[in-house]
Short mmCIF file of all heavy atoms in Angstrom, two decimals:
data_model
loop_
_atom_site.label_atom_id
_atom_site.label_comp_id
_atom_site.label_asym_id
_atom_site.label_seq_id
_atom_site.Cartn_x
_atom_site.Cartn_y
_atom_site.Cartn_z
N LYS Z 16 7.46 -1.51 -18.56
CA LYS Z 16 7.38 -0.45 -19.57
C LYS Z 16 8.59 -0.40 -20.49
O LYS Z 16 8.42 -0.34 -21.72
CB LYS Z 16 7.10 0.89 -18.89
CG LYS Z 16 5.64 1.01 -18.45
CD LYS Z 16 5.35 2.33 -17.80
CE LYS Z 16 3.83 2.52 -17.61
NZ LYS Z 16 3.16 1.41 -16.95
N PRO Z 17 9.83 -0.44 -19.99
CA PRO Z 17 10.95 -0.47 -20.95
C PRO Z 17 10.94 -1.71 -21.84
O PRO Z 17 11.22 -1.62 -23.04
CB PRO Z 17 12.19 -0.45 -20.04
CG PRO Z 17 11.72 0.18 -18.78
CD PRO Z 17 10.31 -0.29 -18.60
N LEU Z 18 10.60 -2.86 -21.27
CA LEU Z 18 10.59 -4.09 -22.07
C LEU Z 18 9.50 -4.07 -23.12
O LEU Z 18 9.64 -4.69 -24.18
CB LEU Z 18 10.42 -5.31 -21.16
CG LEU Z 18 11.61 -5.65 -20.27
CD1 LEU Z 18 11.31 -6.87 -19.41
CD2 LEU Z 18 12.88 -5.90 -21.10
N ALA Z 19 8.41 -3.35 -22.84
CA ALA Z 19 7.32 -3.25 -23.82
C ALA Z 19 7.54 -2.12 -24.81
O ALA Z 19 7.39 -2.29 -26.03
CB ALA Z 19 5.99 -3.07 -23.10
N TYR Z 20 7.91 -0.92 -24.31
CA TYR Z 20 7.99 0.26 -25.16
C TYR Z 20 9.27 0.32 -25.99
O TYR Z 20 9.26 0.75 -27.15
CB TYR Z 20 7.90 1.53 -24.33
CG TYR Z 20 6.61 1.68 -23.53
CD1 TYR Z 20 6.52 2.59 -22.48
CD2 TYR Z 20 5.48 0.91 -23.81
CE1 TYR Z 20 5.35 2.75 -21.75
CE2 TYR Z 20 4.32 1.05 -23.09
CZ TYR Z 20 4.26 1.96 -22.05
OH TYR Z 20 3.10 2.10 -21.33
N TRP Z 21 10.40 -0.06 -25.38
CA TRP Z 21 11.69 0.08 -26.06
C TRP Z 21 12.13 -1.18 -26.79
O TRP Z 21 12.69 -1.10 -27.88
CB TRP Z 21 12.78 0.48 -25.06
CG TRP Z 21 12.63 1.87 -24.52
CD1 TRP Z 21 11.87 2.87 -25.03
CD2 TRP Z 21 13.27 2.41 -23.36
NE1 TRP Z 21 11.99 4.01 -24.27
CE2 TRP Z 21 12.84 3.76 -23.23
CE3 TRP Z 21 14.15 1.90 -22.42
CZ2 TRP Z 21 13.28 4.59 -22.21
CZ3 TRP Z 21 14.60 2.71 -21.40
CH2 TRP Z 21 14.17 4.05 -21.30
N PHE Z 22 11.91 -2.34 -26.17
CA PHE Z 22 12.47 -3.58 -26.71
C PHE Z 22 11.42 -4.52 -27.31
O PHE Z 22 11.78 -5.52 -27.92
CB PHE Z 22 13.26 -4.31 -25.62
CG PHE Z 22 14.35 -3.49 -25.01
CD1 PHE Z 22 14.22 -2.93 -23.74
CD2 PHE Z 22 15.52 -3.25 -25.71
CE1 PHE Z 22 15.23 -2.16 -23.18
CE2 PHE Z 22 16.54 -2.49 -25.16
CZ PHE Z 22 16.39 -1.94 -23.90
N ALA Z 23 10.14 -4.20 -27.10
CA ALA Z 23 9.04 -5.03 -27.64
C ALA Z 23 9.15 -6.49 -27.22
O ALA Z 23 8.72 -7.39 -27.95
CB ALA Z 23 9.01 -4.91 -29.16
N VAL Z 24 9.70 -6.72 -26.03
CA VAL Z 24 9.80 -8.08 -25.49
C VAL Z 24 8.47 -8.48 -24.86
O VAL Z 24 8.06 -9.65 -24.94
CB VAL Z 24 10.94 -8.17 -24.45
CG1 VAL Z 24 10.95 -9.54 -23.77
CG2 VAL Z 24 12.28 -7.89 -25.12
N LEU Z 25 7.79 -7.52 -24.24
CA LEU Z 25 6.49 -7.77 -23.62
C LEU Z 25 5.39 -7.14 -24.48
O LEU Z 25 5.63 -6.15 -25.18
CB LEU Z 25 6.46 -7.17 -22.21
CG LEU Z 25 7.42 -7.79 -21.19
CD1 LEU Z 25 7.33 -7.06 -19.87
CD2 LEU Z 25 7.13 -9.28 -21.00
N PRO Z 26 4.19 -7.68 -24.40
CA PRO Z 26 3.11 -7.18 -25.26
C PRO Z 26 2.53 -5.84 -24.83
O PRO Z 26 1.93 -5.13 -25.65
CB PRO Z 26 2.04 -8.27 -25.16
CG PRO Z 26 2.28 -8.89 -23.81
CD PRO Z 26 3.76 -8.86 -23.63
N GLU Z 27 2.72 -5.49 -23.56
CA GLU Z 27 2.06 -4.27 -23.05
C GLU Z 27 2.78 -3.79 -21.81
O GLU Z 27 3.51 -4.56 -21.17
CB GLU Z 27 0.59 -4.60 -22.74
CG GLU Z 27 -0.35 -3.40 -22.84
CD GLU Z 27 -0.55 -2.71 -21.51
OE1 GLU Z 27 -0.50 -3.39 -20.47
OE2 GLU Z 27 -0.77 -1.48 -21.51
N GLY Z 28 2.61 -2.51 -21.48
CA GLY Z 28 3.31 -1.92 -20.34
C GLY Z 28 2.84 -2.40 -18.99
O GLY Z 28 3.42 -2.03 -17.96
N ARG Z 29 1.79 -3.20 -18.96
CA ARG Z 29 1.35 -3.86 -17.73
C ARG Z 29 1.16 -5.34 -18.07
O ARG Z 29 0.13 -5.73 -18.60
CB ARG Z 29 0.04 -3.26 -17.22
CG ARG Z 29 0.18 -1.89 -16.61
CD ARG Z 29 -1.10 -1.40 -15.97
NE ARG Z 29 -2.17 -1.25 -16.96
CZ ARG Z 29 -3.37 -0.73 -16.68
NH1 ARG Z 29 -3.64 -0.31 -15.45
NH2 ARG Z 29 -4.29 -0.62 -17.62
N SER Z 30 2.16 -6.14 -17.77
CA SER Z 30 2.08 -7.57 -18.09
C SER Z 30 2.90 -8.38 -17.10
O SER Z 30 2.39 -8.77 -16.05
CB SER Z 30 2.51 -7.83 -19.55
OG SER Z 30 3.73 -7.17 -19.85
N LEU Z 31 4.17 -8.61 -17.37
CA LEU Z 31 4.99 -9.52 -16.57
C LEU Z 31 5.01 -9.18 -15.08
O LEU Z 31 4.62 -9.98 -14.24
CB LEU Z 31 6.42 -9.53 -17.13
CG LEU Z 31 7.44 -10.34 -16.35
CD1 LEU Z 31 7.10 -11.83 -16.40
CD2 LEU Z 31 8.86 -10.10 -16.89
N ALA Z 32 5.49 -7.99 -14.73
CA ALA Z 32 5.64 -7.63 -13.33
C ALA Z 32 4.34 -7.16 -12.69
O ALA Z 32 4.29 -6.91 -11.49
CB ALA Z 32 6.71 -6.54 -13.18
N HIS Z 33 3.28 -7.02 -13.50
CA HIS Z 33 1.96 -6.67 -12.98
C HIS Z 33 1.06 -7.90 -12.81
O HIS Z 33 -0.06 -7.78 -12.32
CB HIS Z 33 1.25 -5.68 -13.91
CG HIS Z 33 1.78 -4.29 -13.86
ND1 HIS Z 33 2.93 -3.91 -14.52
CD2 HIS Z 33 1.32 -3.17 -13.25
CE1 HIS Z 33 3.15 -2.62 -14.32
NE2 HIS Z 33 2.19 -2.14 -13.55
N SER Z 34 1.53 -9.05 -13.25
CA SER Z 34 0.70 -10.25 -13.28
C SER Z 34 0.70 -10.97 -11.94
O SER Z 34 1.75 -11.27 -11.38
CB SER Z 34 1.19 -11.20 -14.37
OG SER Z 34 0.53 -12.44 -14.29
N LEU Z 35 -0.49 -11.29 -11.44
CA LEU Z 35 -0.59 -12.06 -10.20
C LEU Z 35 -0.11 -13.49 -10.40
O LEU Z 35 0.31 -14.15 -9.45
CB LEU Z 35 -2.04 -12.06 -9.70
CG LEU Z 35 -2.58 -10.71 -9.23
CD1 LEU Z 35 -4.04 -10.84 -8.80
CD2 LEU Z 35 -1.75 -10.15 -8.08
N VAL Z 36 -0.17 -13.97 -11.62
CA VAL Z 36 0.34 -15.32 -11.92
C VAL Z 36 1.83 -15.40 -11.62
O VAL Z 36 2.33 -16.42 -11.15
CB VAL Z 36 0.06 -15.67 -13.40
CG1 VAL Z 36 0.67 -17.02 -13.76
CG2 VAL Z 36 -1.44 -15.67 -13.67
N ILE Z 37 2.54 -14.32 -11.88
CA ILE Z 37 3.97 -14.24 -11.59
C ILE Z 37 4.21 -13.78 -10.16
O ILE Z 37 5.08 -14.30 -9.46
CB ILE Z 37 4.67 -13.28 -12.57
CG1 ILE Z 37 4.34 -13.64 -14.02
CG2 ILE Z 37 6.17 -13.25 -12.34
CD1 ILE Z 37 4.81 -14.99 -14.47
N ALA Z 38 3.44 -12.80 -9.72
CA ALA Z 38 3.72 -12.15 -8.44
C ALA Z 38 3.46 -13.04 -7.24
O ALA Z 38 4.26 -13.05 -6.29
CB ALA Z 38 2.88 -10.87 -8.33
N VAL Z 39 2.37 -13.79 -7.24
CA VAL Z 39 2.02 -14.58 -6.04
C VAL Z 39 3.09 -15.62 -5.71
O VAL Z 39 3.52 -15.72 -4.55
CB VAL Z 39 0.62 -15.20 -6.20
CG1 VAL Z 39 0.35 -16.19 -5.06
CG2 VAL Z 39 -0.45 -14.11 -6.21
N PRO Z 40 3.57 -16.41 -6.67
CA PRO Z 40 4.68 -17.32 -6.34
C PRO Z 40 5.94 -16.58 -5.90
O PRO Z 40 6.66 -17.04 -4.99
CB PRO Z 40 4.92 -18.08 -7.65
CG PRO Z 40 3.64 -17.97 -8.40
CD PRO Z 40 3.08 -16.63 -8.05
N PHE Z 41 6.21 -15.42 -6.53
CA PHE Z 41 7.37 -14.63 -6.14
C PHE Z 41 7.24 -14.15 -4.69
O PHE Z 41 8.19 -14.26 -3.91
CB PHE Z 41 7.51 -13.44 -7.08
CG PHE Z 41 8.50 -12.40 -6.63
CD1 PHE Z 41 9.86 -12.68 -6.62
CD2 PHE Z 41 8.08 -11.15 -6.18
CE1 PHE Z 41 10.78 -11.73 -6.19
CE2 PHE Z 41 8.99 -10.19 -5.76
CZ PHE Z 41 10.34 -10.49 -5.77
N TRP Z 42 6.07 -13.64 -4.34
CA TRP Z 42 5.86 -13.18 -2.96
C TRP Z 42 6.01 -14.32 -1.96
O TRP Z 42 6.62 -14.15 -0.91
CB TRP Z 42 4.47 -12.57 -2.82
CG TRP Z 42 4.24 -11.35 -3.64
CD1 TRP Z 42 5.20 -10.51 -4.16
CD2 TRP Z 42 2.98 -10.82 -4.06
NE1 TRP Z 42 4.60 -9.51 -4.87
CE2 TRP Z 42 3.25 -9.66 -4.83
CE3 TRP Z 42 1.66 -11.21 -3.86
CZ2 TRP Z 42 2.22 -8.90 -5.39
CZ3 TRP Z 42 0.63 -10.45 -4.43
CH2 TRP Z 42 0.92 -9.32 -5.18
N SER Z 43 5.45 -15.47 -2.29
CA SER Z 43 5.51 -16.61 -1.37
C SER Z 43 6.95 -17.04 -1.13
O SER Z 43 7.38 -17.24 0.01
CB SER Z 43 4.70 -17.78 -1.95
OG SER Z 43 3.35 -17.42 -2.14
N GLY Z 44 7.71 -17.17 -2.22
CA GLY Z 44 9.11 -17.56 -2.08
C GLY Z 44 9.93 -16.52 -1.33
O GLY Z 44 10.77 -16.86 -0.50
N LEU Z 45 9.67 -15.25 -1.62
CA LEU Z 45 10.40 -14.17 -0.96
C LEU Z 45 10.13 -14.16 0.54
O LEU Z 45 11.07 -14.02 1.36
CB LEU Z 45 10.01 -12.83 -1.57
CG LEU Z 45 10.64 -11.58 -0.93
CD1 LEU Z 45 12.14 -11.59 -1.10
CD2 LEU Z 45 10.03 -10.32 -1.51
N LEU Z 46 8.88 -14.29 0.95
CA LEU Z 46 8.54 -14.27 2.37
C LEU Z 46 9.15 -15.46 3.10
O LEU Z 46 9.62 -15.32 4.24
CB LEU Z 46 7.02 -14.24 2.55
CG LEU Z 46 6.33 -12.94 2.14
CD1 LEU Z 46 4.82 -13.09 2.25
CD2 LEU Z 46 6.80 -11.76 3.00
N LEU Z 47 9.12 -16.62 2.47
CA LEU Z 47 9.73 -17.80 3.09
C LEU Z 47 11.24 -17.61 3.27
O LEU Z 47 11.80 -17.93 4.31
CB LEU Z 47 9.44 -19.04 2.25
CG LEU Z 47 8.00 -19.57 2.29
CD1 LEU Z 47 7.83 -20.69 1.28
CD2 LEU Z 47 7.64 -20.05 3.70
N TYR Z 48 11.87 -17.07 2.22
CA TYR Z 48 13.32 -16.86 2.30
C TYR Z 48 13.67 -15.78 3.32
O TYR Z 48 14.62 -15.93 4.11
CB TYR Z 48 13.85 -16.47 0.93
CG TYR Z 48 15.35 -16.22 0.92
CD1 TYR Z 48 16.24 -17.28 1.08
CD2 TYR Z 48 15.86 -14.94 0.75
CE1 TYR Z 48 17.61 -17.05 1.08
CE2 TYR Z 48 17.22 -14.71 0.75
CZ TYR Z 48 18.10 -15.78 0.91
OH TYR Z 48 19.45 -15.55 0.92
N ALA Z 49 12.90 -14.68 3.33
CA ALA Z 49 13.15 -13.60 4.29
C ALA Z 49 13.00 -14.10 5.72
O ALA Z 49 13.78 -13.73 6.61
CB ALA Z 49 12.20 -12.44 4.03
N ARG Z 50 12.01 -14.94 5.94
CA ARG Z 50 11.82 -15.50 7.28
C ARG Z 50 12.98 -16.40 7.65
O ARG Z 50 13.45 -16.39 8.80
CB ARG Z 50 10.51 -16.26 7.34
CG ARG Z 50 10.20 -16.84 8.72
CD ARG Z 50 8.85 -17.52 8.73
NE ARG Z 50 8.54 -18.06 10.04
CZ ARG Z 50 7.44 -18.74 10.34
NH1 ARG Z 50 6.53 -18.94 9.39
NH2 ARG Z 50 7.24 -19.20 11.54
N ARG Z 51 13.45 -17.16 6.70
CA ARG Z 51 14.56 -18.08 6.97
C ARG Z 51 15.82 -17.35 7.35
O ARG Z 51 16.58 -17.80 8.22
CB ARG Z 51 14.80 -18.94 5.72
CG ARG Z 51 15.92 -19.96 5.89
CD ARG Z 51 16.09 -20.80 4.64
NE ARG Z 51 17.16 -21.75 4.77
CZ ARG Z 51 17.55 -22.58 3.80
NH1 ARG Z 51 16.92 -22.55 2.63
NH2 ARG Z 51 18.55 -23.42 4.00
N ILE Z 52 16.12 -16.22 6.71
CA ILE Z 52 17.34 -15.49 7.01
C ILE Z 52 17.09 -14.36 8.02
O ILE Z 52 17.94 -13.49 8.20
CB ILE Z 52 17.97 -14.91 5.72
CG1 ILE Z 52 17.04 -13.88 5.07
CG2 ILE Z 52 18.32 -16.03 4.75
CD1 ILE Z 52 17.69 -13.14 3.90
N ARG Z 53 15.94 -14.38 8.66
CA ARG Z 53 15.59 -13.41 9.71
C ARG Z 53 15.57 -11.97 9.19
O ARG Z 53 16.10 -11.05 9.82
CB ARG Z 53 16.55 -13.54 10.90
CG ARG Z 53 16.52 -14.92 11.54
CD ARG Z 53 17.47 -14.99 12.72
NE ARG Z 53 17.50 -16.32 13.28
CZ ARG Z 53 16.63 -16.79 14.19
NH1 ARG Z 53 15.67 -15.99 14.62
NH2 ARG Z 53 16.74 -18.02 14.65
N ARG Z 54 14.97 -11.79 8.03
CA ARG Z 54 14.77 -10.45 7.47
C ARG Z 54 13.29 -10.26 7.16
O ARG Z 54 12.91 -9.80 6.09
CB ARG Z 54 15.59 -10.25 6.18
CG ARG Z 54 17.09 -10.43 6.34
CD ARG Z 54 17.70 -9.34 7.21
NE ARG Z 54 19.15 -9.37 7.15
CZ ARG Z 54 19.93 -10.11 7.92
NH1 ARG Z 54 19.37 -10.91 8.82
NH2 ARG Z 54 21.24 -10.07 7.79
N GLY Z 55 12.45 -10.66 8.11
CA GLY Z 55 11.02 -10.67 7.88
C GLY Z 55 10.44 -9.32 7.51
O GLY Z 55 9.64 -9.21 6.57
N GLU Z 56 10.83 -8.27 8.22
CA GLU Z 56 10.27 -6.95 7.93
C GLU Z 56 10.68 -6.47 6.55
O GLU Z 56 9.88 -5.84 5.83
CB GLU Z 56 10.72 -5.93 8.99
CG GLU Z 56 10.05 -4.58 8.82
CD GLU Z 56 10.50 -3.55 9.85
OE1 GLU Z 56 11.10 -3.94 10.87
OE2 GLU Z 56 10.26 -2.35 9.61
#
């Protein structure tokens, strides 16, 4: 929302951080890293 409403960097208030195209790889990498450093929960 700030990037869309204030800075016009994103096209809409639901785009970058709402996108599954971005989120799914992020989640996968995060879970793998959390497991590696024993911070699974």
